[in-house]
Amino acid sequence: MDIKKRIDRIPGGMMILPLFLGACLNTFAPNTGKFFGSFTNGLITGTLPILSVWFFCIGASISLKATPLVLRKSGVLVSIKIITAALAGVIASLFIPAEGITSGFFTGLSVLAIIAAMNDTNGGMYMALMQQYGTKEEAGAFCLMCLESGPFMTMVTLGIAGLASFPWQTMVGALLPFVIGFALGNLDKDLRAFFSQGVSVMVPFFAFALGNNLNFTTILNTGLLGILLGLAVIAVTGVTLVLSDIFLAKGNGTAGIGAASTAGAAVTVPPIIASIEPNFAPVAPAATALVATSVVVTSLLTPVLTAWWARRYGVLSPRYKAAEAAKASLTVAPAE
């Protein structure tokens, strides 16, 4: 029936579609988990256990044997993305109350939603774009971008912005599954290959569980606002990432545009943060819906903008091709 192929045609389909199905179940049959109990209830409500396994598998998939150039490129992109999200959060906190906006067009918008949407890069999409429009080193920058997955970096960003404080045990606990997976994956390449398979497999399961925390009222109320948030992610983080890629990482800006997106994993962040810090609980459902919309918007627009930038200034531009041709001519030994 080609079900997977059809799902893959949807931007972030393996994340968005199960999330949508979970929201359907929660909207029209909210007590399904309690009614059936047992494993069915665990599948519907088990967001944190499923995510902990996913973070472990992500850690195991990362190889420590990255070249210094790759680490420099990825380090610049990751750090600038986090700093940009923190600054955006600080500025937003001057205008948005702690409980989020509760009336008017911007109902549901919160500092948590802004930071969660801007903080995480869609690493898989970035790697695919760099394989087509960038260099091998730029594609390899995916390795450190995996660190952005999950709540840890958002907790760090909230702390940097002075918007929340978390006990050190909580911070370590959020990172520990990732670190253990990373250690095992680098101690044994066979374990890395084995656990890496779980990264993509776990996505629809935690997405479905997340969807069961949403309902269509929240999604409909934040639809257009979520689109604007996605555009803001591209505009705000895109500018800072392009500039940092050119001036700090010595690239041509293509990697910066390719990293200006919201990761599907960012949808998991608001409910996890809310479970750790109850003060964020009132804004978590709307923030989750906003971030989910931002994932779709950036998944559609970031590849288009990256392709345009590559043709104008990157590896597909006439200037770049001429420079590469000149280098090639210099390396050819003169005929005797």
Side-chain angles (χ1 to χ4, degrees), residues 134-319:
T135 64
K136 291 181 180 179
E137 291 77 19
E138 287 172 334
F142 169 77
C143 63
L144 284 188
M145 286 182 182
C146 291
L147 293 173
E148 296 177 304
S149 298
F152 179 75
M153 282 303 179
T154 298
M155 292 164 68
V156 172
T157 304
L158 288 168
I160 292 174
L163 302 172
S165 60
F166 301 93
W168 70 266
Q169 300 96 323
T170 303
M171 299 285 286
V172 173
L175 194 60
L176 202 54
F178 179 94
V179 172
I180 294 173
F182 177 79
L184 287 176
N186 281 279
L187 288 172
D188 186 344
K189 64 179 181 180
D190 291 330
L191 281 178
R192 181 164 69 244
F194 175 74
F195 287 121
S196 296
Q197 300 173 75
V199 175
S200 57
V201 172
M202 300 298 292
V203 170
F205 293 101
F206 73 67
F208 180 72
L210 282 172
N212 275 279
N213 294 308
L214 300 175
N215 59 62
F216 283 122
T217 301
T218 303
I219 294 173
L220 291 174
N221 287 342
T222 58
L224 182 57
L225 185 58
I227 293 174
L228 293 178
L229 179 60
L231 295 175
V233 169
I234 294 173
V236 175
T237 66
V239 170
T240 56
L241 287 170
V242 166
L243 293 176
S244 62
D245 183 30
I246 293 173
F247 294 106
L248 297 179
K250 307 303 179 183
N252 54 44
T254 305
I257 289 288
S261 61
T262 301
V267 180
T268 69
V269 171
I272 294 177
I273 295 295
S275 70
I276 297 171
E277 176 51 72
N279 290 333
F280 290 105
V283 303
T288 302
L290 285 168
V291 173
T293 306
S294 180
V295 172
V296 176
V297 171
T298 57
S299 294
L300 289 170
L301 295 182
T302 300
V304 175
L305 292 173
T306 303
W308 173 82
W309 187 275
R311 293 188 184 97
R312 191 74 180 266
Y313 305 104
V315 297
L316 301 181
S317 66
R319 180 183 301 177

Side-chain angles (χ1 to χ4, degrees), residues 82-106:
I82 293 171
I83 292 171
T84 301
L87 290 174
V90 170
I91 295 172
S93 68
L94 300 177
F95 306 96
I96 300 176
E99 66 276 11
I101 298 176
T102 57
S103 62
F105 174 78
F106 292 99

